[in-house]
Amino acid sequence: MYNARLSELFDEIADMLSLDEKSDRRFEVLAYRKAAMTIGSMQEDIGEIYKKEGVDGLMRLPGIGKGISASIREYIETGRMRKYDSLKEKYPIDFNAITRVPGIGAKQAFKLYKALKIRNIEDLKKAIAKHRISKIAGFGEKSENEISKGIMQLESSKGRMPIGTALPEAEALVKRLNESGLVERAAIGGSTRRMKETVGDLDILVTSSHADRVIKFISKLDEVQDVTLSGPTKTTVWLKIGISCDIRVVKDKSFGAALQYFTGNKDHNVKVRQIAIKKGYKLNEYGMFDKKGRNVSGPEEESIYSKLGMDIMDPEMREDLGEVELSIRHKLPRIVQINDIKGDLHVHTDHSDGYNSITEMAEYAKSLGRQYIGITDHTKSEYVAHGMNDAQFRKHFDDIDRANELVKGIRILKSAEIDILKDGSLDLKDSTLEMMDYRLASVHTSLAMSKVDMTRRVITAIESGYVDILAHPTDRIINTRNPIDMDLDKVFQSAHDNNVVLEVDGHPDRMDLNDENIRKAKEYNAKFSISTDSHRTTHLNMMRYGVSTAKRAWVTPEIVINAMDVGRMLKELSG
Ligand code: DGT
Ligand code: CA
Ligand code: CA
Ligand code: ZN
């Protein structure tokens, strides 16, 4: 799959163009950033689009013009991009790695390069050890410390890739294997199948009677950078997107047992195996064998569980958190499924920092089967995100009325993502808030408050009576920004007392609340809104990440407000 690599290349081109001191390349920079965003958030493989529809197919994508589609084609055809290569000669810096350090953008990276020839994180670490950063103009002691802290934070999360990058890549690999003609079945296993928010490596299971040919085929895939390990029935490869992938080949009759085994997690497997032993079976990745050595596992995963007297559960539940015991007693809860979802209550448009119009978002949501969407553009304090003031919101609501007349078959709701200001007050007048169908509020700025102050700030907002949904409650960004320091118990209690719904923001950079916090919130009888926080049409597909996060915390559909019809949902919110 080319998406992640192309997106990184374009981001880096934008970084490098922004450093041009001689001419203003602002529009070019913007074009490359947009392309990087479009491609980075696409779930379908851009290589496939090119293969099927050529350059025309590429140009139909939002934000992809002639020049950029030519570069995409060049890269797919030749593995190189001249534009990138020539810029790289001038700026031999690993921007993607260095700009991931908090506090370092492209400009700072270039300054570091000019002053100390720093090209990558290793160089940066050496310079910090010698206290050389603080002596560069514009940096100082404080920023040296922050950079040092940032590197440590980055390294502690190193190696685990967000599910939003890992899953599409694994799906693309499975598709290639299925199309190879060499395999009977191919499936994703491991933490990717369990939809953990980050994954350590990909695990793919293949059934074939030509393991040797499958393994050779994999080693030649364009996605593969190196073969780390290669045996007769398994191989481990390092993928170009920067993650390892284990691939196992078994015979088709072992598929169910192997999938059960490789899905895990390990603790879940250990318990299931103990049950098998008690019932007189031997269970491993090749099958379930009775006393006479006959394989009784059957071709599917399900038959293993049923032979053991258990109900099968979704992979998201297999974390040994009590699911095994409940499954034996046939008492597993009926957890929320993607098909339960009727609407999406966190959606941005080009009225603030989104890319598409209200009608485009609504049409796309309708095509996904949603019955309603809530438009939640930013408020004025979020000026970098083009947040709107009260007067602009009034006009914006007229636009939503018009959009509702234009797009039939889906209800477009009036809302906003209202900034919770430093003192806990809301960023719009009450009269504007009253014009909305519901209100979403979140913290975006002044994140470095003390725990006591932050807790008070959020609870003040919750108690205002004007908040219906608390969006991305902890404000963390996976692998980039820690959660805000806040007393979650107090916030969850207050949310319950004030009938405020908690969001499960399914954007894979956020996943907020995460599975662990959802479990905690459930103890306070919380209700949830599972949303995508979409900033363009294709983001609306990311609902599956939010739903799986909720599934990992055993959320049932009755406590998910956007699993309700619009009428009941709004009634629920107004309490
Ligand atoms: P990750 O990669 O760290 O995100 O997490 P997983 O769960 O994908 O772990 P991984 O890749 O080490 O192994 C994939 C699956 O293989 C795991 O979920 C369960 C199974 N597995 C691995 N090691 C063992 C083991 O020692 N015993 C048993 N029963 N199963 C194992
Ligand atoms: Ca894994
Ligand atoms: Ca693995
Ligand atoms: Zn948002």
Side-chain angles (χ1 to χ4, degrees):
M1 179 141 171
Y2 287 93
N3 302 20
R5 272 176 290 149
L6 278 168
S7 163
E8 283 195 1
L9 283 176
F10 287 142
D11 248 335
E12 225 180 310
I13 289 178
D15 284 341
M16 294 189 280
L17 288 173
S18 73
L19 297 171
D20 195 330
E21 284 153 352
K22 288 191 204 87
S23 53
D24 182 3
R25 316 286 286 261
R26 221 176 322 165
F27 292 105
E28 225 182 319
V29 171
L30 208 65
Y32 278 100
R33 288 258 189 260
K34 270 194 179 150
M37 269 226 306
T38 301
I39 298 167
S41 67
M42 272 169 48
Q43 301 290 304
E44 61 277 32
D45 187 349
I46 197 160
E48 294 282 314
I49 295 178
Y50 172 69
K51 239 195 283 166
K52 281 197 208 114
E53 303 167 49
V55 170
D56 289 343
L58 299 176
M59 283 177 55
R60 273 194 285 274
L61 298 169
I64 308 284
K66 214 166 168 185
I68 288 176
S69 48
S71 291
I72 296 174
R73 172 176 138 170
E74 184 192 357
Y75 187 75
I76 294 175
E77 298 283 358
T78 69
R80 304 227 60 92
M81 199 183 288
R82 274 164 299 172
K83 170 120 192 162
Y84 174 84
D85 292 344
S86 67
L87 281 164
K88 205 72 203 179
E89 271 176 33
K90 196 164 162 209
Y91 305 105
I93 304 167
D94 186 353
F95 286 100
N96 276 328
I98 287 203
T99 58
R100 229 167 260 161
V101 178
I104 302 188
K107 289 207 168 57
Q108 286 81 5
F110 189 44
K111 269 192 202 159
L112 291 168
Y113 173 71
K114 277 195 293 191
L116 300 171
K117 287 270 165 294
I118 290 172
R119 294 163 185 249
N120 50 40
I121 302 266
E122 280 315 301
D123 296 345
L124 189 58
K125 282 199 320 209
K126 282 184 204 147
I128 288 171
K130 291 184 188 146
H131 288 295
R132 295 176 72 179
I133 308 281
S134 54
K135 297 189 183 77
I136 307 172
F139 279 88
E141 197 81 33
K142 192 167 163 230
S143 53
E144 182 173 285
N145 284 337
E146 261 160 29
I147 290 170
S148 168
K149 230 170 62 193
I151 294 175
M152 277 191 304
Q153 208 177 321
L154 262 183
E155 301 208 318
S156 67
S157 63
K158 201 162 141 189
R160 294 196 71 84
M161 178 177 274
I163 185 79
T165 315
L167 180 62
E169 180 78 4
E171 286 171 336
L173 289 171
V174 162
K175 186 154 177 275
R176 280 191 189 268
L177 285 161
N178 278 326
E179 287 167 359
S180 70
L182 297 170
V183 316
E184 275 118 39
R185 286 198 270 188
I188 299 169
S191 50
T192 313
R193 184 162 183 240
R194 300 196 313 280
M195 295 290 272
K196 247 183 118 150
E197 64 186 31
T198 62
V199 307
D201 72 350
L202 304 182
D203 301 279
I204 291 176
L205 174 69
V206 172
T207 71
S208 169
S209 25
H210 312 284
D212 48 340
R213 282 163 67 191
V214 174
I215 284 173
K216 191 152 168 229
F217 173 81
I218 291 163
S219 71
K220 298 217 165 98
L221 281 176
D222 174 66
E223 282 83 353
V224 171
Q225 183 161 323
D226 287 311
V227 177
T228 321
L229 187 149
S230 183
T233 59
K234 66 176 174 189
T235 180
T236 301
V237 292
W238 183 259
L239 300 174
K240 286 180 186 159
I241 61 163
I243 192 168
S244 182
C245 177
D246 285 339
I247 300 160
R248 272 292 195 123
V249 190
V250 298
K251 294 272 159 56
D252 205 50
K253 61 178 190 296
S254 294
F255 180 79
L259 186 60
Q260 197 281 327
Y261 179 93
F262 289 115
T263 299
N265 71 5
K266 196 170 155 184
D267 295 339
H268 173 92
N269 283 355
V270 168
K271 280 225 172 123
V272 175
R273 194 165 1 152
Q274 280 164 354
I275 295 167
I277 291 168
K278 252 191 247 156
K279 301 219 172 218
Y281 297 115
K282 197 178 117 205
L283 176 62
N284 58 31
E285 61 261 56
Y286 303 106
M288 187 151 79
F289 302 92
D290 66 11
K291 289 252 155 61
K292 296 203 176 96
R294 284 178 305 207
N295 187 357
V296 297
S297 65
E300 306 296 333
E301 223 180 14
E302 194 151 14
S303 48
I304 293 171
Y305 287 99
S306 64
K307 275 247 154 56
L308 296 176
M310 298 170 72
D311 295 331
I312 191 168
M313 68 295 285
D314 288 332
E316 287 92 336
M317 286 186 92
R318 301 184 201 168
E319 298 277 345
D320 188 29
L321 293 170
E323 77 283 2
V324 172
E325 292 75 7
L326 288 176
S327 146
I328 297 168
R329 290 164 40 217
H330 307 291
K331 287 270 190 303
L332 284 170
R334 152 62 178 109
I335 57 174
V336 64
Q337 304 290 323
I338 187 90
N339 293 334
D340 292 321
I341 299 299
K342 299 207 164 82
D344 193 337
L345 295 173
H346 190 160
V347 175
H348 296 269
T349 72
D350 56 6
H351 287 231
S352 65
D353 61 345
Y355 183 79
N356 295 98
S357 66
I358 301 169
T359 49
E360 283 167 344
M361 294 308 276
E363 288 284 5
Y364 197 93
K366 191 171 102 178
S367 77
L368 299 178
R370 308 275 179 264
Q371 297 169 13
Y372 53 91
I373 53 168
I375 304 298
T376 53
D377 278 309
H378 289 287
T379 58
K380 59 183 187 293
S381 292
E382 275 293 282
Y383 47 84
V384 280
H386 310 289
M388 292 182 280
N389 62 26
D390 293 88
Q392 287 166 320
F393 264 104
R394 281 163 201 272
K395 212 188 134 283
H396 174 66
F397 293 149
D398 291 338
D399 291 338
I400 293 181
D401 284 335
R402 256 191 302 281
N404 260 318
E405 293 190 355
L406 277 167
V407 189
K408 298 284 169 222
I410 182 164
R411 169 103 181 261
I412 310 167
L413 300 167
K414 292 174 195 160
S415 186
E417 180 169 12
I418 308 146
D419 248 46
I420 299 175
L421 304 178
K422 227 171 156 178
D423 62 357
S425 63
L426 300 177
D427 198 19
L428 290 175
K429 288 191 189 131
D430 292 356
S431 55
T432 312
L433 298 172
E434 277 156 19
M435 294 173 76
M436 302 179 190
D437 292 302
Y438 71 96
R439 289 144 290 261
L440 188 93
S442 58
V443 167
H444 282 116
T445 46
S446 308
L447 302 178
M449 287 172 97
S450 74
K451 187 169 182 165
V452 173
D453 290 345
M454 187 60 88
T455 306
R456 190 179 311 131
R457 174 182 179 181
V458 172
I459 289 181
T460 304
I462 288 175
E463 287 176 346
S464 70
Y466 279 112
V467 175
D468 296 298
I469 301 173
L470 183 63
H472 49 71
T474 78
D475 213 32
R476 64 95 178 245
I477 307 281
I478 291 182
N479 289 357
T480 303
R481 189 167 75 208
N482 287 330
I484 52 175
D485 202 8
M486 172 167 90
D487 187 333
L488 283 178
D489 291 279
K490 286 197 176 132
V491 169
F492 292 165
Q493 183 64 54
S494 171
H496 173 260
D497 295 344
N498 292 281
N499 193 38
V500 169
V501 169
L502 300 171
E503 184 181 56
V504 177
D505 186 322
H507 193 294
D509 291 342
R510 288 196 180 268
M511 297 291 211
D512 184 8
L513 297 175
N514 66 9
D515 46 10
E516 205 184 317
N517 287 330
I518 299 171
R519 271 182 227 122
K520 187 198 264 287
K522 275 173 63 192
E523 290 170 21
Y524 293 88
N525 289 318
K527 281 179 283 188
F528 301 97
S529 165
I530 305 173
S531 72
T532 58
D533 202 347
S534 287
H535 285 72
R536 53 177 60 234
T537 52
T538 48
H539 286 172
L540 291 160
N541 289 306
M542 301 195 295
M543 186 60 84
R544 61 176 175 164
Y545 299 112
V547 169
S548 280
T549 303
K551 288 170 82 170
R552 289 176 57 83
W554 301 18
V555 169
T556 55
E558 304 79 59
I559 54 172
V560 176
I561 59 156
N562 57 315
M564 302 171 187
D565 292 328
V566 68
R568 225 192 105 209
M569 186 274 296
L570 289 173
K571 219 169 121 195
E572 194 81 26
L573 286 179
S574 63

Coordinates of all heavy atoms in Angstrom, one line a residue, residues 195 336 504-507 511 518 530-531 542-551:
M195 N -8.0 -4.8 17.3 CA -8.2 -3.4 17.2 C -7.7 -2.6 18.4 O -8.3 -1.7 18.8 CB -9.7 -3.1 16.9 CG -10.2 -3.6 15.6 SD -9.6 -2.7 14.2 CE -10.7 -1.4 14.0
V336 N -21.9 -3.3 21.1 CA -22.2 -2.5 20.0 C -21.5 -2.9 18.7 O -20.3 -3.4 18.8 CB -21.9 -1.0 20.3 CG1 -20.4 -0.7 20.5 CG2 -22.5 -0.1 19.2
V504 N -16.4 9.0 22.4 CA -15.4 8.1 22.0 C -15.0 8.6 20.6 O -15.6 8.3 19.6 CB -15.8 6.7 21.9 CG1 -14.7 5.8 21.4 CG2 -16.3 6.2 23.3
D505 N -13.9 9.5 20.6 CA -13.5 10.1 19.3 C -12.7 9.0 18.6 O -11.6 8.6 19.1 CB -12.6 11.3 19.6 CG -12.2 12.1 18.4 OD1 -11.9 11.4 17.4 OD2 -12.2 13.3 18.5
G506 N -13.2 8.5 17.5 CA -12.7 7.4 16.8 C -11.6 7.8 15.8 O -11.0 6.9 15.1
H507 N -11.2 9.1 15.7 CA -10.1 9.4 14.9 C -8.9 8.6 15.4 O -8.5 8.8 16.6 CB -9.8 10.9 14.9 CG -8.9 11.3 13.8 ND1 -7.6 10.9 13.8 CD2 -9.1 12.0 12.7 CE1 -7.0 11.4 12.7 NE2 -7.9 12.1 12.0
M511 N -8.5 8.4 19.5 CA -9.0 7.3 20.3 C -9.3 7.7 21.7 O -8.7 7.3 22.7 CB -8.1 6.1 20.3 CG -7.9 5.5 18.9 SD -9.3 4.7 18.3 CE -8.6 3.5 17.3
I518 N -13.0 4.2 29.0 CA -14.4 3.9 28.7 C -14.9 3.0 29.8 O -15.9 3.1 30.4 CB -14.6 3.3 27.4 CG1 -14.2 4.2 26.2 CG2 -16.1 2.9 27.2 CD1 -14.2 3.6 24.9
I530 N -20.1 7.8 19.9 CA -19.0 7.3 19.1 C -18.9 8.1 17.8 O -19.9 8.1 17.0 CB -19.1 5.8 18.8 CG1 -19.3 5.0 20.1 CG2 -17.8 5.3 18.0 CD1 -19.6 3.5 19.9
S531 N -17.8 8.8 17.6 CA -17.8 9.7 16.4 C -16.5 9.6 15.7 O -15.6 8.9 16.1 CB -17.9 11.2 17.0 OG -16.7 11.5 17.6
M542 N -14.0 6.4 9.3 CA -13.2 6.0 10.5 C -14.0 5.6 11.7 O -13.5 5.3 12.8 CB -12.2 7.1 10.9 CG -11.3 7.3 9.7 SD -9.8 8.3 10.0 CE -10.4 9.8 10.5
M543 N -15.3 5.5 11.5 CA -16.2 5.1 12.6 C -15.8 3.8 13.1 O -16.0 3.5 14.3 CB -17.7 5.1 12.0 CG -18.7 4.8 13.0 SD -18.8 6.0 14.4 CE -19.8 7.3 13.6
R544 N -15.3 2.9 12.3 CA -14.9 1.5 12.7 C -13.9 1.6 13.9 O -13.9 0.7 14.7 CB -14.5 0.7 11.6 CG -13.2 1.2 10.9 CD -12.8 0.1 9.8 NE -11.7 0.6 9.0 CZ -11.0 -0.3 8.3 NH1 -11.3 -1.6 8.2 NH2 -10.0 0.2 7.6
Y545 N -13.0 2.6 13.9 CA -12.0 2.6 14.9 C -12.7 3.0 16.3 O -12.3 2.4 17.3 CB -10.9 3.6 14.6 CG -10.2 3.3 13.3 CD1 -10.3 4.1 12.2 CD2 -9.4 2.1 13.3 CE1 -9.6 3.7 11.0 CE2 -8.7 1.8 12.1 CZ -8.8 2.6 11.0 OH -8.2 2.3 9.9
G546 N -13.6 3.9 16.2 CA -14.3 4.3 17.5 C -15.2 3.1 18.0 O -15.2 2.8 19.2
V547 N -15.9 2.5 17.0 CA -16.7 1.4 17.4 C -15.9 0.3 18.1 O -16.3 -0.3 19.1 CB -17.6 0.9 16.3 CG1 -18.3 -0.5 16.6 CG2 -18.6 1.9 15.8
S548 N -14.8 -0.1 17.5 CA -14.0 -1.1 18.0 C -13.4 -0.8 19.4 O -13.2 -1.6 20.2 CB -12.8 -1.5 17.1 OG -13.4 -2.3 16.0
T549 N -13.0 0.5 19.6 CA -12.6 0.9 20.9 C -13.6 0.7 21.9 O -13.4 0.2 23.0 CB -12.1 2.4 20.8 OG1 -11.1 2.5 19.8 CG2 -11.5 2.9 22.1
A550 N -14.9 1.1 21.5 CA -16.0 0.9 22.5 C -16.2 -0.6 22.7 O -16.5 -1.0 23.8 CB -17.3 1.5 21.9
K551 N -16.1 -1.4 21.7 CA -16.2 -2.9 21.8 C -15.2 -3.4 22.8 O -15.5 -4.3 23.6 CB -16.1 -3.6 20.5 CG -17.3 -3.3 19.5 CD -17.0 -3.8 18.1 CE -17.2 -5.3 18.0 NZ -17.1 -5.8 16.6

